[in-house]
Amino acid sequence: MADTLRDDDGISNPSFNLHLTQLVDEAIARQPNRRLLLKTGLGMAAIPFLGGLAACGGGDDPAPTAPVVTPPSEQLLGFQGIPTSGADTVTVPPGYVATPFLPWGTPLSLSAPGFAADASNTAADQEQQVGDNHDGMAFFGFNTEGNALGERNDEGLLVFNHEYINPEYFYKPDTDPTDWLAPFTFEKARKGLAAHGGTVAHVRRTSAGEWELVRNSPYNRRIHGNTPMTIQGPAAGHALMQTAADPSGTQVLGMLNNCGNGRTPWGTFLTCEENFNGYFGWNGVFTRNTLEARYGLSETGFGYRWHTVDPRFDMAANRNEANRFGWIVEVDPFSPASQPVKRTALGRFKHENAELVVASNGKVVVYMGCDEVNEYAYKFVSSGTFDASNPTSLANRNLLSDGTLYVARFDAGAVSGDRMGNGVWLPLVFGQNGLDVGNGFADQGDVMIKARQAADRVGATMMDRPEWVAANPTKPGEVFMTCTNNSRRGTTPASSNSIDGTSVSSSSRPPVDDANPRASNAWGHIVRWNEAGGDATALSFDWDIFLLAGQPSFTDQRAPSSNITMDNLFNSPDGLAFDSFGRMWIQTDGNFSNTGNFAGNGNNQMLVGDPQTKEVRRFLVGPSGCEVTGITWTPDRTTMFVNIQHPGELGAHPRRPPTYSDNDLARDPTVFSQWPTAGIRPRSAVVVVRRTDGGVIGG
């Protein structure tokens, strides 16, 4: 193990004078690029740099002094913005390097099989390898001893989601020339299940500054679509959660379509099940009910075909299985033998991420978006309070088991049309606001399972596909949310989600409103709200539009906000996160055709926004056909991890021939992308971003 950069946190001098370690840390805070020098023995030669330290000579002669140099202060946007790109590579600003790491198929142990370039790995192989289509992510630094949560910058656990698979790349073509997936088998379904979920990877920084996987680590773990999990909270044991395989309704196999994430102060990872409906279908005669229609369940799903070979995903055989997905799942990365827990108190919907903050009164608040057009923004407030003096206590670990789920209503305020207003949080509590037996809700578990329909009933505001939510760490109560796009907004015939919960998923066509001000919103926007009194548990807030993405050449109702120019244009903001300094990182999952409404946008990208001035600057551009998603940092922010998802995806690829299909691509998998390995089919991967001078990312 690389011990070079470990800090010694033991206290051997009980005086109140500043400890050398404290002085070094303060110097590093002023000039982060000196970290490596100061944290090693070489740092003793640099003591004059600390400014206030005298030399250690024992005589009366004054110590020699060095010229006083004032280090530059960290800047919020301390990098050169970069242009768009259509290249099959990751582009970052001058002075930065971006290195691919842990791509799909990486073996997690010394005995695990390697990645097969022809996609011939088995389901058993995949269960031992990094999954596909990386998404939300968090870095958990070790403590000094390397056995629990701490603040280490050189070693820790990197935990990241695997949202879905691209079958055209994931499976080796079979015998049918017109359908590379045929014949579809149970083994293929199981391999697909194995690539979903998440990965826990023990990683460390080498003496050269690169990052490596510790392949013999007991922490390395795959959590996938067949991993046993506990169901906890108000929906646990509910009749709608019970199946023939689990009549108790408290145990489930796996998690699916894990998109964004969150993290807790007690050291666990929150992973979010999003488009779970796409994995279910039915064989034979079956009529879906209003609950299933409201959540978008359909006969063939997204075309994965699992229901044709695995009865668990055939709704005609196992109707309630789908109700056991669409939850926030809590994972303890430091306990490899522990079962993940589905936290049903946070509601069931298409979860994007879970932004957790501890309010001033100690309550734990989790902000969430339901990622589909015309869906809602939510927040959960715990019943219990966080004990900061014992962060990993059992009481803290149960804080997500009980609380109140709220949904947001965005009102126009005193002036209509000014793209700002006020809002309220509406409780989703059985017996309140019409959530009762007469309206189809039997108990609190029912309300959580039918969270979308409960939000319909209480009158929440339909948003333009609400996705990631991020809270500003430098301003309590300030929260931002991406609204990715909505082609149905403001179109005819106008309609809204029915108050009785009978609307089919994605079917409504709501009119424009102040919080969603553009018809056929192709480019998306970011909404900001400030909780009353800066209190995350408040039940009211003020809001405004932080930015409208789009084409600066448009001057009609499609026009973007004034902070979007030809130098930073983008579409479809999706991922959103703050670093601890207060930079807002914006990631896109949009149209990369680079034509028409999206001319000049190039590949998907990552930008940085100043939450005060609203300036936005492009920092990274991904490879061909990808989405940029998921972001985390080491505690000192000198290493940033970013995920590149689905490189080479066919979709709206600018080089796609008119008649080209997934069947064609499956037989020629390197035609649109070979990232990150030349000559090999494209693979989702982590990207490690560092400054060449060792400094803070973005500063």
Side-chain angles (χ1 to χ4, degrees):
M1 297 176 71
D3 296 326
T4 311
L5 298 178
R6 290 185 181 175
D7 297 335
D8 181 2
D9 294 327
I11 298 175
S12 57
N13 180 358
S15 76
F16 290 98
N17 296 326
L18 290 177
H19 193 279
L20 175 60
T21 301
Q22 183 178 350
L23 290 167
V24 169
D25 287 341
E26 290 178 358
I28 289 170
R30 294 194 302 269
Q31 195 168 351
N33 61 352
R34 303 300 296 272
R35 170 174 289 273
L36 182 61
L37 183 64
L38 291 169
K39 287 292 186 180
T40 62
L42 295 174
M44 293 301 99
I47 288 298
F49 162 76
L50 300 179
L53 285 177
C56 298
D60 294 331
D61 293 337
T65 59
V68 176
V69 178
T70 302
S73 59
E74 185 174 347
Q75 302 175 63
L76 197 73
L77 299 177
F79 63 91
Q80 178 182 324
I82 62 173
T84 59
S85 170
D88 193 30
T89 189
V90 174
T91 307
V92 289
Y96 287 82
V97 291
T99 307
F101 186 43
L102 298 175
W104 160 44
T106 300
L108 287 170
S109 69
L110 295 173
S111 61
F115 176 73
D118 65 353
S120 61
N121 282 116
T122 66
D125 294 344
Q126 182 61 76
E127 289 180 354
Q128 304 172 70
Q129 301 169 332
V130 170
D132 198 9
N133 279 337
H134 306 19
D135 210 308
M137 175 171 51
F139 176 81
F140 295 86
F142 278 141
N143 59 3
T144 304
E145 293 76 21
N147 59 10
L149 179 65
E151 290 294 317
R152 289 269 296 279
N153 298 299
D154 64 323
E155 190 166 1
L157 302 179
L158 190 64
V159 189
F160 49 103
N161 292 335
H162 302 294
E163 186 178 7
Y164 65 103
I165 60 171
N166 286 92
E168 66 274 21
Y169 290 126
F170 186 73
Y171 294 107
K172 181 180 179 179
D174 216 318
T175 56
D176 187 335
T178 64
D179 181 358
W180 83 104
L181 284 174
F184 196 75
T185 63
F186 180 79
E187 162 68 13
K188 290 178 182 177
R190 189 171 181 89
K191 181 183 175 183
L193 280 160
H196 284 72
T199 291
V200 180
H202 180 173
V203 298
R204 66 185 172 199
R205 190 173 58 199
T206 69
S207 58
E210 302 289 339
W211 285 82
E212 65 181 7
L213 172 69
V214 182
R215 284 188 62 184
N216 61 340
S217 173
Y219 291 109
N220 292 341
R221 180 184 185 190
R222 277 302 321 284
I223 302 166
H224 50 70
N226 278 312
T227 301
M229 301 186 180
T230 300
I231 301 171
Q232 190 278 335
H238 194 281
L240 289 174
M241 301 288 276
Q242 297 170 5
T243 64
D246 173 33
S248 72
T250 60
Q251 292 286 316
V252 63
L253 290 179
M255 56 188 190
L256 295 173
N257 210 257
N258 295 81
C259 188
N261 71 288
R263 61 183 302 160
T264 71
W266 49 92
T268 59
F269 182 77
L270 302 179
T271 176
C272 306
E273 294 183 307
E274 190 190 5
N275 295 306
F276 65 90
N277 59 305
Y279 302 95
F280 293 88
W282 56 81
N283 302 306
V285 178
F286 179 84
T287 302
R288 66 181 181 179
N289 59 31
T290 56
L291 171 63
E292 292 153 353
R294 187 66 184 83
Y295 279 82
L297 290 147
S298 63
E299 183 175 3
T300 58
F302 292 166
Y304 286 104
R305 310 186 194 185
W306 295 358
H307 69 284
T308 67
V309 294
D310 187 344
R312 184 155 73 102
F313 298 96
D314 179 2
M315 295 184 64
N318 286 288
R319 183 167 217 154
N320 282 354
E321 185 68 16
N323 298 332
R324 294 144 65 87
F325 294 87
W327 304 101
I328 299 289
V329 185
E330 186 170 13
V331 176
D332 185 350
F334 293 96
S335 180
S338 63
Q339 275 199 8
V341 180
K342 296 200 175 186
R343 297 291 190 183
T344 66
L346 279 70
R348 175 175 171 261
F349 43 89
K350 294 187 177 183
H351 287 278
E352 184 69 14
N353 80 318
E355 177 74 338
L356 187 149
V357 299
V358 179
S360 57
N361 62 3
K363 301 290 186 182
V364 169
V365 177
V366 184
Y367 293 100
M368 300 163 284
C370 179
D371 181 12
E372 194 159 11
V373 295
N374 307 321
E375 292 300 336
Y376 307 117
Y378 299 81
K379 81 172 177 181
F380 167 87
V381 180
S382 67
S383 296
T385 57
F386 176 69
D387 180 4
S389 66
N390 189 14
T392 59
S393 68
L394 181 61
N396 283 343
R397 289 174 174 270
N398 285 323
L399 284 172
L400 301 183
S401 64
D402 185 54
T404 302
L405 183 66
Y406 298 88
V407 67
R409 191 183 73 214
F410 292 81
D411 297 326
V415 179
S416 180
D418 60 357
R419 298 177 178 177
M420 62 178 62
N422 46 55
V424 294
W425 291 104
L426 305 166
L428 301 182
V429 177
F430 177 68
Q432 299 182 20
N433 301 318
L435 303 179
D436 51 34
V437 174
N439 288 316
F441 300 94
D443 49 35
Q444 186 61 24
D446 220 32
V447 172
M448 294 298 96
I449 294 168
K450 304 172 182 176
R452 279 185 167 185
Q453 291 164 303
D456 295 340
R457 172 62 60 178
V458 302
T461 299
M462 292 181 288
M463 303 297 290
D464 285 354
R465 201 176 152 199
E467 297 218 40
W468 288 65
V469 186
N472 186 347
T474 68
K475 186 178 180 182
E478 184 171 68
V479 184
F480 296 74
M481 181 177 71
T482 55
C483 293
T484 296
N485 50 51
N486 188 353
S487 62
R488 299 180 72 83
R489 172 77 61 179
T491 59
T492 56
S495 61
S496 296
N497 292 340
S498 175
I499 192 173
D500 63 6
T502 58
S503 297
V504 174
S505 173
S506 296
S507 65
S508 296
R509 298 178 181 273
V512 297
D513 56 41
D514 271 23
N516 304 275
R518 294 190 294 193
S520 301
N521 182 9
W523 305 275
H525 61 285
I526 298 178
V527 177
R528 167 174 55 187
W529 65 84
N530 279 276
E531 302 276 21
D535 177 8
T537 68
L539 299 184
S540 63
F541 56 90
D542 296 323
W543 66 266
D544 70 330
I545 301 289
F546 178 77
L547 66 77
L548 292 162
Q551 287 285 359
S553 59
F554 293 157
T555 57
D556 55 14
Q557 66 91 26
R558 301 171 296 169
S561 50
S562 60
N563 52 343
I564 301 303
T565 69
M566 292 303 296
D567 291 329
N568 65 6
L569 81 168
F570 65 94
N571 75 90
S572 300
D574 188 339
L576 194 69
F578 277 91
D579 63 28
S580 59
F581 192 72
R583 298 179 190 87
M584 185 170 67
W585 298 80
I586 306 165
Q587 301 172 315
T588 71
D589 177 21
N591 187 302
F592 46 84
S593 64
N594 211 26
T595 61
N597 284 338
F598 310 102
N601 283 228
N603 296 342
N604 276 303
Q605 56 189 273
M606 182 168 71
L607 309 96
V608 184
D610 183 330
Q612 292 186 333
T613 68
K614 295 189 176 183
E615 181 182 354
V616 177
R617 195 176 296 179
R618 187 180 299 108
F619 179 88
L620 177 149
V621 180
S624 173
C626 82
E627 171 188 349
V628 181
T629 183
I631 185 170
T632 190
W633 299 263
T634 54
D636 63 1
R637 292 181 282 113
T638 60
T639 298
M640 178 171 69
F641 302 94
V642 178
N643 278 329
I644 298 297
Q645 187 182 104
H646 63 70
E649 191 166 74
L650 189 55
H653 201 287
R655 291 189 284 109
R656 176 178 184 168
T659 60
Y660 205 76
S661 69
D662 283 341
N663 187 58
D664 298 312
L665 184 56
R667 302 174 193 282
D668 189 12
T670 60
V671 65
F672 292 130
S673 177
Q674 299 178 29
W675 189 90
T677 307
I680 301 294
R681 67 186 59 229
R683 297 192 281 167
S684 181
V686 180
V687 172
V688 180
V689 180
R690 297 178 295 124
R691 270 173 54 169
T692 55
D693 64 1
V696 169
I697 304 297

